[in-house]
Amino acid sequence: MKSLLITGGAGFIGSNAAHHFDRAGWRVVIFDNLSRRGAGRNLDWIREKTDVEFVQGDLRRPEEVESFFEKTRPEAVLHLGGQVAVTTSVVDPREDFEVNALGTFNVLEALRRFVPRAPLVYSSTNKVYGKMDQAVVVERDGRYAYRDQTQGIDEQFPLDFHSPYGCSKGAGDQYVLDYARIYDLKLTSFRQSCIYGPRQFGVEDQGWIAWFTIATRAKKPITIYGDGKQVRDVLHVDDLIRLYEMALQQPDRVAGEAFNVGGGPENTLSLLELVQILESRSQEPLPFTRADWRPGDQKVFVCDIRKIQDRLGWTPATRPAEGVGQLADWVEENLSTIQEALG
């Protein structure tokens, strides 16, 4: 039985990953400071459903991270812990830097010292590509699209960090790739697009699919910034975790490289299209208000996933309408818990 460490293991992706790997026969330990809203609820669910071990700790404190690695000696690592919202990073850039950039550095140093042969997958972000002014956007069929990048943005697109969040996650991304090169470690960076699914306690500034779904069921006001034609490629969390497992099982095929990971051009949604899916499910109109575009909001982001598809033979299996339906089922079954967690 292999041992797996998941940083941020009580978060949305982390809790789903902990459940999956526990059921798959891994010995899972999660490391989390429980600062994210909903993390405590996810931890309760993990404890009820699995034999996962939980250790409370803070990525910003190197002595805690190193002590944890020294004691547990994990055979594989999913580094998912981090500050996840652009808006929060603007309000408190120092904390964002300490959690994302310094926290990732602390994890890499601990891995290098105590388990240098353990593969690690880092949860990076498409925000490392910034505003992408070079990608010409057009309006087509009531939604935005790239004029030239029909398969989406690939890994050769220039990095251009925007916002403190983009800088801190981008720093982590580059440290992962450089540590793999300099110290011959089995490290991989996944530049993830819009991930969604059950156990996501979404709020307005992070987790828009979950937020719209929760707000619809809870009768909370929804605001669409811009015209609602913005498009993202979306990836169900189950498809992402399946990819994590493939990468950890075949680390030599992905080590030392970054990969764009999302739904790709076959799995995209605009804000207005998500509204239509939710309206169809509820059989009633979904009221929302409009507001001006938020600074830095991209009209479209779709990632080219052919590199990771070719490398591991992975492809997303969950279509957006199906995945949103699964998320809506979870929201309906857990609405009171979600409302209590989000306040």
Side-chain angles (χ1 to χ4, degrees):
M1 179 186 297
K2 285 190 174 182
S3 60
L4 172 67
L5 160 62
I6 305 176
T7 69
F12 155 51
I13 297 176
S15 60
N16 280 283
H19 182 259
H20 172 87
F21 281 96
D22 177 79
R23 289 173 63 91
W26 293 63
R27 182 171 60 83
V28 180
V29 183
I30 61 177
F31 183 89
D32 201 301
N33 69 355
L34 302 181
S35 62
R36 174 78 174 169
R37 282 184 290 184
R41 299 295 183 179
N42 282 338
L43 179 60
D44 291 341
W45 177 77
I46 292 169
R47 284 172 162 164
E48 177 186 346
K49 299 291 186 180
T50 74
D51 293 322
V52 167
E53 179 184 349
F54 168 66
V55 174
Q56 186 161 355
D58 196 317
L59 294 173
R60 295 170 292 185
R61 300 190 177 105
E63 66 280 2
E64 291 186 14
V65 177
E66 291 186 359
S67 175
F68 178 71
F69 268 80
E70 185 177 17
K71 291 177 181 177
T72 60
R73 305 278 174 165
E75 296 171 272
V77 179
L78 286 177
H79 179 33
L80 311 181
Q83 194 292 113
V84 296
V86 171
T87 50
T88 301
S89 79
V90 173
V91 172
D92 194 346
R94 178 177 294 278
E95 181 177 7
D96 175 81
F97 170 82
E98 290 177 349
V99 174
N100 290 344
L102 180 59
T104 297
F105 175 79
N106 289 338
V107 168
L108 294 177
E109 275 292 277
L111 181 144
R112 181 172 74 91
R113 288 187 60 191
F114 299 110
V115 286
R117 302 321 302 159
L120 174 146
V121 175
Y122 171 59
S123 174
S124 185
T125 173
N126 59 31
K127 294 295 188 291
V128 299
Y129 297 113
K131 292 181 67 176
M132 301 184 302
D133 291 331
Q134 306 95 314
V136 179
V137 173
V138 297
E139 186 176 337
R140 186 183 300 135
D141 300 324
R143 67 206 312 258
Y144 293 114
Y146 295 124
R147 186 189 66 188
D148 304 316
Q149 286 90 355
T150 57
Q151 293 297 318
I153 300 300
D154 67 19
E155 293 83 358
Q156 300 305 310
F157 205 86
L159 300 181
D160 186 19
F161 306 157
H162 278 239
S163 79
Y165 174 77
C167 291
S168 66
K169 292 295 288 187
D173 180 282
Q174 294 301 289
Y175 261 97
V176 165
L177 299 182
D178 194 60
Y179 263 54
R181 176 172 54 237
I182 296 297
Y183 299 112
D184 190 28
L185 303 176
K186 297 180 180 181
L187 315 177
T188 305
S189 183
F190 282 175
R191 294 170 181 167
Q192 296 171 187
S193 195
C194 178
I195 313 301
Y196 71 102
R199 313 223 61 80
Q200 186 175 24
F201 292 81
V203 293
E204 187 175 53
D205 64 349
Q206 201 280 324
W208 63 281
I209 294 180
W211 166 244
F212 274 41
T213 306
I214 292 167
T216 299
R217 184 65 180 82
K219 306 298 184 183
K220 291 182 176 290
I222 292 175
T223 301
I224 288 183
Y225 297 90
D227 56 20
K229 299 175 184 178
Q230 302 98 303
V231 166
R232 299 291 184 268
D233 66 322
V234 300
L235 182 66
H236 193 275
V237 67
D238 289 349
D239 287 323
L240 175 64
I241 292 168
R242 182 165 49 87
L243 177 58
Y244 284 160
E245 188 170 24
M246 296 171 74
L248 293 178
Q249 289 174 336
Q250 305 173 75
D252 291 335
R253 296 187 63 82
V254 294
E257 298 186 59
F259 297 86
N260 288 349
V261 173
E266 300 300 318
N267 296 282
T268 62
L269 271 181
S270 73
L271 273 65
L272 293 178
E273 288 165 354
L274 175 59
V275 168
Q276 291 172 358
I277 291 174
L278 295 172
E279 286 180 336
S280 176
R281 182 181 177 88
S282 66
Q283 295 297 304
E284 59 183 18
L286 176 58
F288 58 85
T289 58
R290 294 184 182 270
D292 289 340
W293 291 84
R294 290 184 290 192
D297 193 12
Q298 301 165 332
K299 289 186 174 180
V300 57
F301 185 89
V302 177
C303 63
D304 185 339
I305 59 175
R306 289 178 294 177
K307 180 180 175 182
I308 192 64
Q309 286 179 307
D310 291 344
R311 195 66 59 84
L312 291 179
W314 167 88
T315 196
T318 307
R319 295 300 187 188
E322 176 190 358
V324 172
Q326 293 177 11
L327 172 60
D329 288 342
W330 174 75
V331 170
E332 290 176 5
E333 293 169 5
N334 298 275
L335 184 60
S336 60
T337 298
I338 295 168
Q339 289 180 303
E340 183 178 346
L342 295 180

